[in-house]
Amino acid sequence: MRNALILMVGLLWPCYTIAQTTQSSFLRIYTEEYAPWNFTREDEVTGLNTELIQQLLDKLSLRGRFEIVPWGRAQLFTQTQADSCFFSAVRSAEREKLYQWVGPLSREYVQLFSTDPAHPKFNQFADAAELLIGGQTADAYTDYGMEQGLKIERIAEIPVNLAMLQLKRIDLWLAGSVGGPYIAAQKGIRIYPVASSADVFELWMACNLQVPEAVIDNLNRTLQLSKQDGTLDAIMQRYQE
């Protein structure tokens, strides 16, 4: 009986391994419209961080499906779908235990922007506490701004923030130091930073806790190699041209 049980386990083990590999070889990857890190171009999800993640998947023979959704929904899907991740996310203390992390993919500061080149500048965010700031729903940058004493109206979509800034329905817009100007320029809008965070924020890919740990480890290991072999530099160069 014992030998029969061992034989049965031996026969089933390869099947289990194949199933586990198949399950972990595909990832649903969510993000938002936040150029240049992640955005839609000609109905395809692209961007600096998107291309970097795709390179990691290719090197590991993993398949991924990228999808643009509202930022709050990206986080909800990743928490409730076992084979899912989202990016470009700040790795905050509140989020730390909710996900497994791959990164950092990139870095930027948080800034306050105006459409007026002559707008007074502030030494710190708290100096703008009397102004109405446009921020984003379920956003770590917005959380940071509120912790600094800013009065922020949370808005679901980034383009709406820009429109409200142009219409002067908000006084300033809170966004990343790289992403904010890039998005505005794509829409033909010139914005000017009037305050900057003292802290730099790293952007990561956050994955569901059920994604196999080996997949996360391999992604992180391959990411570090990509930073060393010039892959990341080559991608960044394309977005600076």
Side-chain angles (χ1 to χ4, degrees):
M1 180 67 181
R2 181 173 178 274
N3 290 338
L5 181 60
I6 292 173
L7 177 61
M8 183 178 296
V9 171
L11 290 172
L12 290 176
W13 177 252
C15 298
Y16 169 78
T17 303
I18 292 170
Q20 186 182 48
T21 302
T22 302
Q23 182 182 21
S24 63
S25 64
F26 174 80
L27 292 173
R28 287 181 279 190
I29 305 175
Y30 299 103
T31 190
E32 64 172 341
E33 291 282 356
Y34 187 51
W37 310 121
N38 22 269
F39 61 97
T40 305
R41 181 167 58 199
E42 298 178 355
D43 297 325
E44 295 287 337
V45 182
T46 187
L48 198 157
N49 285 345
T50 309
E51 289 193 29
L52 178 56
I53 292 170
Q54 185 62 66
Q55 291 263 6
L56 302 182
L57 298 177
D58 291 345
K59 289 179 179 180
L60 293 170
S61 298
L62 299 174
R63 294 180 299 114
R65 185 189 69 195
F66 293 88
E67 184 176 349
I68 296 280
V69 297
W71 192 233
R73 197 176 301 170
Q75 296 173 59
L76 175 62
F77 287 167
T78 300
Q79 289 182 38
T80 56
Q81 297 173 356
D83 57 353
S84 62
C85 304
F86 78 103
F87 74 101
S88 303
V90 172
R91 187 173 180 174
S92 64
E94 294 77 14
R95 293 173 176 169
E96 179 65 30
K97 294 183 179 180
L98 297 176
Y99 309 101
Q100 300 181 85
W101 297 90
V102 177
L105 306 171
S106 50
R107 296 174 173 86
E108 64 179 349
Y109 291 91
V110 178
Q111 293 184 325
L112 299 178
F113 294 97
S114 171
T115 55
D116 179 5
H119 193 288
K121 291 182 169 52
F122 304 104
N123 292 324
Q124 55 188 1
F125 279 11
D127 295 338
E130 299 302 315
L131 301 179
L132 180 60
I133 313 297
Q136 194 177 358
T137 304
D139 176 56
Y141 289 176
T142 300
D143 294 341
Y144 173 82
M146 296 185 74
E147 290 169 2
Q148 303 304 306
L150 294 178
K151 181 172 63 177
I152 299 180
E153 181 174 348
R154 291 183 182 267
I155 300 165
E157 301 290 342
I158 290 174
V160 178
N161 263 307
L162 271 174
M164 291 180 67
L165 184 64
Q166 284 188 294
L167 295 171
K168 302 189 184 306
R169 292 176 59 186
I170 55 175
D171 298 309
L172 299 171
W173 176 40
L174 182 147
S177 58
V178 177
Y182 191 98
I183 294 169
Q186 294 293 99
K187 297 185 176 299
I189 303 170
R190 187 75 180 270
I191 59 175
Y192 305 88
V194 299
S196 183
S197 65
D199 302 316
V200 64
F201 288 78
E202 295 178 336
L203 303 179
W204 295 66
M205 181 165 73
C207 295
N208 185 280
L209 295 175
Q210 294 186 50
V211 173
E213 186 176 343
V215 172
I216 301 298
D217 290 343
N218 286 336
L219 285 167
N220 273 310
R221 190 177 301 111
T222 306
L223 173 60
Q224 297 312 311
L225 292 174
S226 295
K227 291 179 179 179
Q228 296 169 15
D229 67 14
T231 299
L232 177 58
D233 290 339
I235 295 172
M236 291 184 68
Q237 184 63 37
R238 289 201 294 274
Y239 286 87
Q240 293 171 352
E241 294 174 350

